[in-house]
């Protein structure tokens, strides 16, 4: 290492374990260069003197994950990395990989999925993209910060198997990309604050998962610097602005439960981070203009849009008279609220202008200004102009959903229905027009039962960043064939979800549903859903055939199949591979995602898709053995267009040596 511990006094070493201010590391009396941290994850949010610098607002991670395309996650990371370099940001405080356990979680827009395999694959590519630019990242929030309600106080109480199978794997996958830092969460985990939970930080993150970088606290998540250092947390952020942190470390030293060697280990992690900044090869910055970064935002948004329903093939729009209304038709929300909100100065045109440009002479597109307001929940106002336009029009497009005031940090949603104002607008418009297309913005699942039967098409945009308006117009007009699929289940209603309306009691929340999170819950319990995990329509049709499962070893297989575009338009298809453990000695979900691929197919084209499965595809975490364990027996392999649209099915039989098997309940 370039820096030597001997260069620093004990006082300086203790001060190095806390930030200098809100965003910078302590410079040890000028001995170290400045290291600047900034949020993440949907664009860089650098705050200087209370002002947030302008940056490109990229699609939110929840939307990006609907693309199921790691190469787009990489592009997203690269684009943001470039903007970090331009703003002298050394570490981007991104990305969160907490699992979407309940659709109520206010920060779901910042998270990828209810499925750890998908979340891990997308987040890893994003982190690689940012770090390819010589900018560090912060993998967060470790761990079990799955709702915002009482996030500073409520303990997440989870059993070991659930933790390993659902909440840890995405972190584990992303660690392969070597994020410069990992950020601990606010909440206690099994009764102890994450920031001072030695079992969590040292036992799991460092010893079990092998992480050897810097652990930073979430902002103000440390309650005692000495205890945090003991748990191997390296950097408390932000500054305590006084001697509190240093005194707490001295308390540990004086009382003998914290040693100077332990302090030195933590200081080394800080110095290694400084060194990474110094050595970073920033020459990889692409000289991109603001317009080029905006184009990247549009490109990612195009592939992230999910066509949920398309009755009578009403989309793409065919022309004629089209009325455009709804609160977000003029300007869609770019993202959810809180530390992830990017200060973009991009001013989108209204959707009618975008559409009329794309549809040309065959269409008359009329923009109806709308005064409905999702936040104040006022009943419907000033919509007579929309209703009369709807009566005259051939088709109506309504842009509804939530914005940063409804999906945000530090609070949860209380319902997954649209606001009553937006539901009323849809229902009233549908009384005057049979061809209603609904475009939904927001951070996650929506209960649509009140109105879905009255509309022809539903497009889930999510939060698409500043390029959303163009991307939505591209999809509605058919310039782009939609290719996104849901990375979370849309249940029929909140009551059907594993946690329902429960929030925990403010002190503790038990993860009683265990491993049955998301589709694992609905499938295992046999519950109907509105739109299943992995669902998304296209203007093209795809056929699946010729499943082959090639055995490479007892636990390694190559699954291959043919996907054919049987339509007259080019498109992309996301194929999903699920594994079912037919009989097991622990309760296993009905099936689990273990592979996926997004394939571009021209009209009439077919391609062979190959997906590898390995021991982890079949294993469960055994708390008794404290390791991943594959039990011999039959496993079914499903290839699906969604979790509930299984097109091909095969079977394998795993037969492992007796010495590796501990319990066989089902073979004589
Ligand atoms: C959030 C983090 C964020 C940090 C700094 C916290 O409130 O939980 O995700 O990086 O603030 O803004």
């Amino acid at each position: 290492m370039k820096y030597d511990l001997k260069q620093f006094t004990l006082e300086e070493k203790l001060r190095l374990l806390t930030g200098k201010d809100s965003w910078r590391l302590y410079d040890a009396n000028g001995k170290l260069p400045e290291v600047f941290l900034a949020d993440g994850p949907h664009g860089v949010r650098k705050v200087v003197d209370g002002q947030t610098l302008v940056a490109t607002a990229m699609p939110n991670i929840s939307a990006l994950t609907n693309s199921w395309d790691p190469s787009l996650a990489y592009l997203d990371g690269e684009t943001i990395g470039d903007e970090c370099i331009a703003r002298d940001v050394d570490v981007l405080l991104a990305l969160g990989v907490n699992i979407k356990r309940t659709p109520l979680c206010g920060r779901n827009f910042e998270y990828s999925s209810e499925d750890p395999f998908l979340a891990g694959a997308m987040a890893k590519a994003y982190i690689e993209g940012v770090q390819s630019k010589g900018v560090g990242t912060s993998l967060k929030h470790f761990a079990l910060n799955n709702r915002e309600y009482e996030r500073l106080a409520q303990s997440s109480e989870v059993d070991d198997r659930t933790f390993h199978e659902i909440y840890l794997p995405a972190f584990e996958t992303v660690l392969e990309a070597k994020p410069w830092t990992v950020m601990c969460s606010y909440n206690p985990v099994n009764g102890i604050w994450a920031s001072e939970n030695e079992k969590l930080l040292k036992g799991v993150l460092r010893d079990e998962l092998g992480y050897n970088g810097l652990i930073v606290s979430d902002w103000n998540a440390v309650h005692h610097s000495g205890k945090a250092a003991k748990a191997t947390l390296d950097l408390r952020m932000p500054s305590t602005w006084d001697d509190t942190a240093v005194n707490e470390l001295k308390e540990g030293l004086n009382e003998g439960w914290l040693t100077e060697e332990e302090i030195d280990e933590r200081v080394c992690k800080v110095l290694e981070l400084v060194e990474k900044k110094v050595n970073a090869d920033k020459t990889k910055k692409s000289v991109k203009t603001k317009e080029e970064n905006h184009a990247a935002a549009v490109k990612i948004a195009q592939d992230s849009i999910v066509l949920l329903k398309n009755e009578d093939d009403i989309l793409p729009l065919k022309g004629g008279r089209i009325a455009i209304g709804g609160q977000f038709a003029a300007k869609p929300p770019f993202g959810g609220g809180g530390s992830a909100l990017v200060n973009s100065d991009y001013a989108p045109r209204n959707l009618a202008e975008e559409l009329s440009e794309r549809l040309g002479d065959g269409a008359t597109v009329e923009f109806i200004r709308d005064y409905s307001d999702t936040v104040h929940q006022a009943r419907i106002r000033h919509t007579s102009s929309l209703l009369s336009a709807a009566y005259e029009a051939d088709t109506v497009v309504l842009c509804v959903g939530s914005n940063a005031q409804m999906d945000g940090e530090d609070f949860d949603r209380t319902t997954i229905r649209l606001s009553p104002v937006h539901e009323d607008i849809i229902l009233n418009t549908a009384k005057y027009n049979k061809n209603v297309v609904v475009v939904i913005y927001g951070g996650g699942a929506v209960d649509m039962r009140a109105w879905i039967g009255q509309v022809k098409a539903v497009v889930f945009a999510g939060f698409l960043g500043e390029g959303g308006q163009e991307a939505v117009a591209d999809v509605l007009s058919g310039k782009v064939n939609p290719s996104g699929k849901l990375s979370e289940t849309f249940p029929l209603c909140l009551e059907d979800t594993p946690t329902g309306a429960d929030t925990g009691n403010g002190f503790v929340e038990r993860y009683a549903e265990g491993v049955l999170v998301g589709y694992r819950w609905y499938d295992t319990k046999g519950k109907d859903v509105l739109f299943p995990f992995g669902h998304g329509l296209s203007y093209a049709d795809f056929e699946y055939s010729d499943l082959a499962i090639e055995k490479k070893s007892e636990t390694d297989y190559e699954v291959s199949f043919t996907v054919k575009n049987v339509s007259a338009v080019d498109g992309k298809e996301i194929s999903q591979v699920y594994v079912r453990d037919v009989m097991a000695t622990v309760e296993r979900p009905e099936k689990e995602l273990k592979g996926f691929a997004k394939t571009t197919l021209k009209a009439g084209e077919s391609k062979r898709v190959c997906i590898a499965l390995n021991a982890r595809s079949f294993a469960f975490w055994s708390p008794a053995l404290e390791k991943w364990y594959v039990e011999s027996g039959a496993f079914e392999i499903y290839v699906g267009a969604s979790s509930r649209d299984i097109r091909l099915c095969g079977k394998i039989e795993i037969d492992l040596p007796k010495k590796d098997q501990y319990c066989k309940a089902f073979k004589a």
Side-chain angles (χ1 to χ4, degrees):
M1 188 166 59
K2 177 178 153 68
Y3 301 104
D4 187 346
L5 280 173
K6 295 193 196 76
Q7 288 173 256
F8 306 95
T9 64
L10 177 63
E11 189 72 18
E12 283 170 344
K13 288 197 279 189
L14 298 181
R15 286 201 183 276
L16 274 169
L17 302 188
T18 311
K20 173 181 179 181
D21 54 26
S22 292
W23 307 108
R24 285 178 294 180
L25 266 59
Y26 172 60
D27 65 1
N29 296 313
K31 291 178 192 165
L32 297 172
E34 178 176 303
V35 177
F36 201 103
L37 319 178
D39 284 304
H42 308 130
V44 52
R45 186 181 72 97
K46 181 170 183 178
V47 184
V48 182
D49 299 331
Q51 300 295 313
T52 306
L53 305 188
V54 167
T56 307
M58 303 299 286
N60 285 191
I61 299 308
S62 53
L64 164 70
T65 307
N66 290 339
S67 75
W68 294 61
D69 186 344
S71 74
L72 290 181
Y74 190 90
L75 170 67
D76 193 38
E78 274 186 318
T79 309
I80 299 170
D82 274 340
E83 294 205 349
C84 285
I85 298 172
R87 288 160 187 72
D88 287 325
V89 167
D90 303 299
V91 178
L92 184 76
L93 301 171
L95 178 68
V97 289
N98 298 79
I99 292 296
K100 295 189 181 194
R101 174 173 175 250
T102 162
L104 291 181
C105 176
R107 274 184 113 170
N108 271 358
F109 70 93
E110 278 190 66
Y111 300 143
S112 287
S113 179
E114 66 190 24
D115 181 81
F117 185 87
L118 177 60
M122 295 297 285
K124 182 182 170 195
Y126 172 101
I127 296 276
E128 284 169 346
V130 177
Q131 294 200 166
S132 72
K133 298 290 175 178
V135 173
T137 54
S138 195
L139 178 61
K140 62 191 188 183
H141 306 91
F142 193 74
L144 296 159
N145 182 187
N146 304 102
R147 67 167 85 243
E148 291 298 282
Y149 172 74
E150 290 290 357
R151 68 172 175 169
L152 308 180
Q154 182 162 277
S155 176
S156 300
E157 191 176 303
V158 73
D159 67 82
D160 206 30
R161 182 170 161 232
T162 301
F163 186 39
H164 278 82
E165 288 189 26
I166 304 295
Y167 299 99
L168 261 190
F171 285 98
E172 189 184 350
T173 303
V174 181
L175 288 180
E176 291 166 15
K178 300 200 181 319
W180 289 12
T181 77
V182 172
M183 185 189 291
C184 80
S185 59
Y186 283 119
N187 50 288
V189 171
N190 290 333
I192 309 286
W193 305 109
S195 60
E196 51 192 62
N197 193 321
E198 194 171 340
K199 179 159 187 220
L200 181 74
L201 300 186
K202 180 166 186 318
V204 178
L205 182 57
R206 293 201 188 279
D207 296 346
E208 190 182 319
L209 301 185
Y211 179 63
N212 63 5
L214 177 137
I215 304 179
V216 59
S217 73
D218 200 342
W219 268 227
N220 295 313
V222 169
H223 301 266
H224 191 287
S225 274
K227 286 187 177 182
K230 185 81 194 165
T232 76
L233 184 134
D234 308 295
L235 178 64
R236 173 179 184 160
M237 286 299 288
S239 166
T240 53
W241 315 102
D242 57 17
D243 290 337
T244 307
V246 168
N247 289 343
E248 287 169 355
L249 290 164
K250 284 182 180 165
E251 188 186 313
L253 289 172
N254 294 339
E255 290 176 8
W257 48 267
L258 188 64
T259 64
E260 204 169 330
E261 290 72 53
E262 287 172 303
I263 296 289
D264 284 350
E265 269 180 41
R266 310 282 59 85
V267 173
C268 281
K269 297 291 171 199
V270 175
L271 296 176
E272 280 163 20
L273 180 71
V274 178
E275 197 162 295
K276 279 184 183 140
K277 171 228 159 84
V278 173
N279 294 340
D281 180 6
K282 299 259 168 43
T283 56
K284 290 180 190 148
K285 176 184 185 314
S286 331
V287 188
K288 286 208 183 114
T289 60
K290 195 172 171 173
E291 289 69 31
E292 284 170 317
N293 286 344
H294 176 78
V298 175
K299 179 180 156 80
I300 297 166
Q302 287 170 336
D303 267 43
S304 304
I305 294 170
V306 189
L307 177 60
L308 293 175
K309 170 176 176 172
N310 193 19
E311 212 175 293
D312 301 334
D313 290 332
I314 188 172
L315 293 177
L317 294 167
K318 314 286 179 303
R321 195 162 167 182
I322 303 166
I324 311 285
Q327 184 183 352
F328 300 134
K331 183 180 178 194
F334 291 174
S339 60
L341 199 61
V342 179
N343 181 19
S344 160
D345 62 358
Y346 186 77
R349 298 189 297 170
N350 73 51
L351 185 61
E353 285 175 50
E354 293 290 349
L355 270 177
S356 101
E357 190 175 279
R358 286 162 181 75
L359 293 172
D361 291 344
T364 314
V365 192
E366 193 185 357
F367 173 69
I368 315 295
R369 190 158 292 285
D370 184 329
Y371 299 94
S372 59
D373 182 329
T374 47
V375 179
H376 298 105
Q377 309 279 306
R379 301 308 287 182
I380 205 153
R381 289 175 289 154
H382 307 301
T383 51
S384 53
S385 50
L386 174 65
L387 300 184
S388 39
Y391 185 62
E392 304 290 330
D394 297 307
T395 313
V396 186
V397 178
L398 295 176
C399 301
V400 297
S402 58
N403 56 18
Q405 285 149 298
M406 302 175 78
D407 279 300
E409 183 175 339
D410 211 14
F411 61 90
D412 284 333
R413 296 201 269 177
T414 52
T415 171
I416 58 168
R417 288 177 65 161
L418 295 178
S419 79
V421 180
H422 286 188
E423 285 194 349
D424 280 354
I425 284 176
I426 298 170
L427 288 168
N428 288 336
T429 306
K431 283 185 197 148
Y432 294 96
N433 193 299
K434 287 189 175 47
N435 295 324
V436 176
V437 174
V438 176
V439 179
I440 301 180
Y441 292 92
V446 177
D447 168 354
M448 305 179 193
R449 286 170 310 157
W451 50 266
I452 191 153
Q454 319 300 314
V455 306
K456 284 273 171 71
V458 182
V459 173
F460 185 72
F463 286 134
L464 291 172
E466 63 177 53
Q469 194 77 295
E470 289 132 286
V472 166
D474 287 338
V475 164
L476 295 180
S477 65
K479 187 178 164 222
V480 166
N481 191 348
S483 64
K485 293 196 178 185
L486 291 179
S487 49
E488 67 181 300
T489 308
F490 278 31
L492 285 166
C493 58
L494 181 63
E495 292 66 37
D496 281 354
T497 66
T499 53
D502 290 348
T503 58
N505 65 10
F507 297 100
V508 64
E509 181 179 19
R510 203 160 74 80
Y511 284 37
E513 71 288 352
V515 296
L516 301 183
V517 174
Y519 65 88
R520 290 167 167 79
W521 168 264
Y522 305 105
D523 286 358
T524 309
K525 300 286 176 190
K527 279 186 183 291
D528 286 340
V529 298
L530 181 61
F531 295 113
F533 175 80
H535 167 79
L537 303 172
S538 162
Y539 300 146
D541 293 309
F542 303 99
E543 268 179 18
Y544 286 67
S545 62
D546 301 322
L547 174 66
I549 304 172
E550 195 187 332
K551 183 172 177 175
K552 305 273 184 187
S553 82
E554 209 50 51
T555 52
D556 288 286
Y557 294 82
E558 187 180 273
V559 178
S560 60
F561 49 92
T562 301
V563 184
K564 181 170 188 193
N565 181 346
V566 289
S567 74
V569 286
D570 300 350
K572 295 176 190 171
E573 170 67 343
I574 298 163
S575 311
Q576 302 147 44
V577 172
Y578 296 87
V579 171
R580 172 169 180 244
D581 189 347
V582 179
M583 277 173 261
T585 49
V586 294
E587 184 193 38
R588 298 207 70 177
E590 174 67 17
K591 62 178 177 298
E592 298 185 88
L593 181 77
K594 296 297 171 186
F596 64 89
K598 189 165 189 172
T599 316
T600 303
L601 292 155
K602 294 208 173 309
E605 190 183 12
S606 56
K607 279 185 187 163
R608 202 77 192 140
V609 177
C610 294
I611 289 170
L613 299 178
N614 58 32
R616 272 295 283 274
S617 313
F618 309 103
F620 61 83
W621 177 264
S622 165
L625 301 171
E626 293 194 324
K627 65 172 191 179
W628 291 99
Y629 177 57
V630 179
E631 205 167 40
S632 288
F635 291 83
E636 286 176 359
I637 313 292
Y638 303 137
V639 177
S642 88
S643 62
R644 295 242 170 139
D645 183 5
I646 301 303
R647 303 289 183 91
L648 305 168
C649 185
K651 193 177 124 182
I652 59 162
E653 193 79 36
I654 292 185
D655 192 6
L656 289 160
K658 286 266 181 304
K659 67 175 179 37
D660 296 333
Q661 294 295 297
Y662 291 89
C663 182
K664 276 192 190 175
F666 52 88
K667 264 193 177 171

